[in-house]
Amino acid sequence: MKEKKKNYKWWLIIFAVIIVAISVMGFLLIRLEGGKPAVNLDLPNASIGTARELMISLADKKSGLRKVWVSLLKDGKEITLLEKNYPSTGIFGSGKIHEEPVKVRIDPAGQGISDGEAVLRIVVSDYSWRRWWHGNKTKKKKTVTIDTQIPEIEVLSRVHNITQGGSGVVIYKISEPCPGNGIYVGDNFFPGYSGYFKD
């Protein structure tokens, strides 16, 4: 009878150890998840003028967002545009924020950035326990053009007489390629088209 009780105790201890081991392994699998944060940069036109505000959507559904860092690298000089840390739910918890859109303002004159090509860099990390508690990282690079110079317009045609109900043409030249150009007559805008004449 005593031996049966001893065996019963051993089985209980073994069962308890197995339950604890499974729970710990399950917890570690959740906390050591390997999914990287999602970064979506809304930048249809890679040209930055005198000032521009960029929208960046960040998301990490599993561990939550830990940190975002955005910089602009130009002529060997790196300018930090945004650095933000996100809160966690506790020592063993995940991040409180799983999704957030952030705005980043680029002001070349105010930030001492000269015209030319630059590299926009984004680094986002999460609250996973991977990489010795530093989390999973997503890195993104985007080449942008800093262009603060206003385009110049040179009108090549000389006579611009238009009769009521008639039509007219204006030939002009712009100093650099532009996403849009044209002519206003009062409040009416008429887009310009290239290719009919040289330059």
Side-chain angles (χ1 to χ4, degrees):
M1 191 75 169
K2 283 184 181 179
E3 202 162 309
K4 274 188 178 181
K5 281 186 179 178
K6 277 185 182 179
N7 284 341
Y8 182 70
K9 282 182 183 177
W10 276 111
W11 279 112
L12 276 176
I13 290 168
I14 290 167
F15 183 71
V17 167
I18 289 169
I19 293 293
V20 169
I22 289 170
S23 300
V24 169
M25 283 176 62
F27 178 74
L28 288 175
L29 280 172
I30 291 167
R31 297 306 296 123
L32 289 166
E33 60 88 11
K36 292 184 175 184
V39 178
N40 184 26
L41 172 64
D42 183 21
L43 189 63
N45 178 8
S47 183
I48 311 292
T50 51
R52 185 153 182 197
E53 206 167 63
L54 308 177
M55 282 298 297
I56 305 169
S57 300
L58 311 174
D60 191 276
K61 300 290 185 187
K62 293 181 179 177
S63 297
L65 298 167
R66 179 194 290 265
K67 186 176 182 178
V68 59
W69 175 78
V70 183
S71 76
L72 196 67
L73 181 64
K74 175 83 172 65
D75 301 327
K77 180 184 171 186
E78 191 140 32
I79 297 153
T80 300
L81 303 171
L82 174 72
E83 191 168 6
K84 183 177 180 180
N85 294 302
Y86 294 94
S88 74
T89 55
I91 297 171
F92 297 108
S94 61
K96 283 184 179 179
I97 297 166
H98 292 268
E99 208 172 330
E100 186 181 59
V102 293
K103 287 181 183 177
V104 178
R105 185 170 172 78
I106 301 176
D107 176 15
Q111 293 162 329
I113 305 165
S114 59
D115 281 14
E117 272 199 357
V119 178
L120 183 70
R121 294 175 46 177
I122 306 166
V123 181
V124 183
S125 61
D126 66 12
Y127 272 99
S128 170
W129 284 5
R130 292 231 175 174
R131 295 177 57 250
W132 299 100
W133 290 272
H134 288 97
N136 301 303
K137 270 190 182 176
T138 298
K139 296 179 180 180
K140 258 198 173 183
K141 285 183 182 180
K142 176 79 176 174
T143 302
V144 295
T145 304
I146 309 297
D147 181 11
T148 59
Q149 301 302 311
I150 297 168
E152 293 178 5
I153 301 168
E154 183 186 348
V155 180
L156 302 176
S157 55
R158 294 291 171 224
V159 181
H160 305 113
N161 297 327
I162 302 171
T163 58
Q164 190 172 1
S167 62
V169 67
V170 176
I171 302 167
Y172 61 94
K173 182 178 179 179
I174 50 177
S175 60
E176 59 184 87
C178 298
N181 67 83
I183 306 244
Y184 272 102
V185 177
D187 292 332
N188 300 311
F189 179 73
F190 300 92
Y193 298 95
S194 62
Y196 296 104
F197 302 92
K198 190 180 177 183
D199 296 332

